[in-house]
Amino acid sequence: MKRYFFPSTGNFYKANLHCHTTCSDGRMTPEQVKERYMSLGYSVIAYSDHNVMIDHSDLNEENFLALTAYEVDFITRDANPRWQANKLLHLNMISPKPNEDRVVSPQVNDKGEHRDVNSILPPMRYICNTTFVNKIIAAGADNGYLVTINHPTWSNLDYDDYKGLKRLWAMEINNGGCYAEGRADDPNVYNLMLRAMGTKLFAVGTDDNHNDLPQDHPEHHCGQAWINIRAEKLDYDTIFNALKNGDFYSSDGPEIYECYYDDEEDAVHVKCSPAQRVFVNSASISAPMATAKKIGETITEAVIPLNHFAVDFIRVTVEDNNRRMAHTNAIWL
Ligand SMILES: [Zn+2]
Ligand SMILES: [Zn+2]
């Protein structure tokens, strides 16, 4: 049986699921973000300003869809000692409905004040420990939000900090803003987290864009990392459900056109843009791969026998000659 890493039919929609605007600390207005990203070939933006959730459906048009989202920032004050050493924890919440007006929980500031919003949980001081973070994730998940743990490298999170988290929808494995600031994520955290959680978890590339620098500036944030969603059409329900199902792959360059695991052959089949190598990760120590014959040459198709090496899960990475990478989500064996 063929097990596809994302659907074999449908349209691809390029998406940035982590975005800041002048509604929080971003430099571009929501309209300017839409304009810039449409010029870069994107169809979907999740507007995820810090601690404020705004419906931007007024920006929607035939080739553009705004998703309603926000980023929860946990503070490290009052936290257990492990969290006080320059650590942060940020979660993205993507709403199942465009007009959602409930945040999972408003934060309380130093004066005990909070924003007057509808919320799922009572206002509370946000602290960083696994029990508290799991409470916020569970409240989001119970209400249909897709919850992502953001930029684990930039946040200085160690394995011990995230291994106990439950019910996450995805993990950022490539955050373009952090890359531009010299704090790039390491895709290996995805392997660690899959092994720790032992359950379905998706991987996303995002921009976390804050600045408005032009595309030829070395520190620009826009269009650094993204996901390609495969879905039949561009509307809120269809795209939300495709995300929920993991019908996408992430990238900062290469494209993957088709990718499946044939369990009778015990082999992975891939069609992709020109790649130097394609490799398969699992919970095992080895990573079978297909490569071009020489450095500088490329392949666009590969059949990679796994020879029964794979343990627990498999995920596929396509790497081009500039060491840019596309990653599928993991499927469980
Ligand atoms: Zn963040
Ligand atoms: Zn952010």
Side-chain angles (χ1 to χ4, degrees):
M1 194 178 69
K2 291 176 179 175
R3 295 186 58 196
Y4 284 88
F5 288 79
F6 52 80
S8 56
T9 59
N11 304 309
F12 282 113
Y13 298 107
K14 192 172 179 180
N16 175 21
L17 299 185
H18 186 166
C19 162
H20 298 280
T21 73
T22 47
C23 298
S24 62
D25 59 351
R27 295 294 301 273
M28 289 191 284
T29 65
E31 293 78 8
Q32 288 169 331
V33 164
K34 172 186 168 180
E35 198 179 325
R36 172 80 73 101
Y37 276 89
M38 283 189 80
S39 77
L40 296 169
Y42 285 67
S43 312
V44 179
I45 297 288
Y47 286 91
S48 59
D49 277 300
H50 295 282
N51 304 306
V52 54
M53 194 159 56
I54 300 168
D55 177 3
H56 290 292
S57 298
D58 54 313
L59 299 174
N60 290 352
E61 55 177 88
E62 193 185 349
N63 297 317
F64 185 80
L65 177 72
L67 298 177
T68 302
Y70 79 108
E71 184 172 24
V72 183
D73 301 6
F74 291 82
I75 53 174
T76 51
R77 223 171 30 247
D78 297 342
N80 73 45
R82 271 195 64 72
W83 291 87
Q84 289 173 357
N86 279 320
K87 287 178 193 286
L88 293 166
L89 197 143
H90 292 177
L91 300 174
N92 259 30
M93 302 262 180
I94 301 176
S95 168
K97 298 196 297 277
N99 57 350
E100 181 63 79
D101 62 359
R102 297 172 307 161
V103 296
V104 170
S105 176
Q107 289 189 14
V108 178
N109 67 18
D110 286 340
K111 295 172 190 154
E113 300 162 337
H114 63 90
R115 286 183 302 111
D116 184 21
V117 289
N118 294 325
S119 62
I120 291 164
L121 293 172
M124 58 185 90
R125 185 183 287 275
Y126 280 24
I127 50 174
C128 275
N129 65 48
T130 305
T131 307
F132 183 83
V133 176
N134 273 332
K135 192 171 168 183
I136 299 291
I137 298 172
D142 284 344
N143 286 277
Y145 292 81
L146 304 178
V147 187
T148 305
I149 181 169
N150 294 341
H151 44 65
T153 303
W154 183 83
S155 298
N156 272 346
L157 295 180
D158 301 318
Y159 178 69
D160 284 345
D161 301 325
Y162 53 73
K163 72 177 184 194
L165 300 181
K166 309 279 184 211
R167 302 188 65 191
L168 289 165
W169 166 71
M171 172 174 234
E172 277 186 353
I173 58 168
N174 192 350
N175 179 305
C178 298
Y179 166 80
E181 291 175 10
R183 301 272 295 146
D185 283 303
D186 171 4
N188 188 51
V189 294
Y190 185 36
N191 290 9
L192 294 176
M193 195 64 172
L194 287 165
R195 285 164 54 200
M197 289 182 81
T199 185
K200 193 162 77 177
L201 177 74
F202 301 132
V204 295
T206 72
D207 276 343
D208 193 3
N209 54 291
H210 286 77
N211 72 29
D212 59 354
L213 293 170
Q215 292 303 114
D216 61 358
H217 191 287
E219 291 175 63
H220 80 82
H221 287 174
C222 299
Q224 294 277 12
W226 57 88
I227 62 167
N228 271 327
I229 304 167
R230 198 149 213 199
E232 291 302 323
K233 57 185 196 295
L234 189 67
D235 63 43
Y236 205 103
D237 287 347
T238 306
I239 293 299
F240 187 87
N241 283 321
L243 291 174
K244 196 173 168 184
N245 294 335
D247 296 343
F248 59 86
Y249 68 89
S250 65
S251 183
D252 58 11
E255 294 182 318
I256 308 177
Y257 308 122
E258 184 179 81
C259 189
Y260 63 87
Y261 170 63
D262 186 319
D263 59 8
E264 279 151 36
E265 294 174 23
D266 192 30
V268 167
H269 293 241
V270 187
K271 287 182 182 157
C272 57
S273 57
Q276 178 172 254
R277 55 189 195 142
V278 179
F279 52 92
V280 182
N281 268 258
S282 85
S284 154
I285 202 165
S286 58
M289 68 174 70
T291 68
K293 289 198 177 68
K294 281 184 187 169
I295 289 174
E297 293 182 2
T298 55
I299 53 173
T300 56
E301 254 183 87
V303 179
I304 305 171
L306 301 189
N307 298 319
H308 307 292
F309 98 96
V311 179
D312 297 343
F313 62 85
I314 49 176
R315 67 184 192 88
V316 179
T317 300
V318 171
E319 184 181 315
D320 71 13
N321 275 326
N322 298 313
R323 292 205 177 187
R324 291 185 175 270
M325 293 183 193
H327 303 275
T328 70
N329 287 312
I331 58 172
W332 286 83
L333 298 171

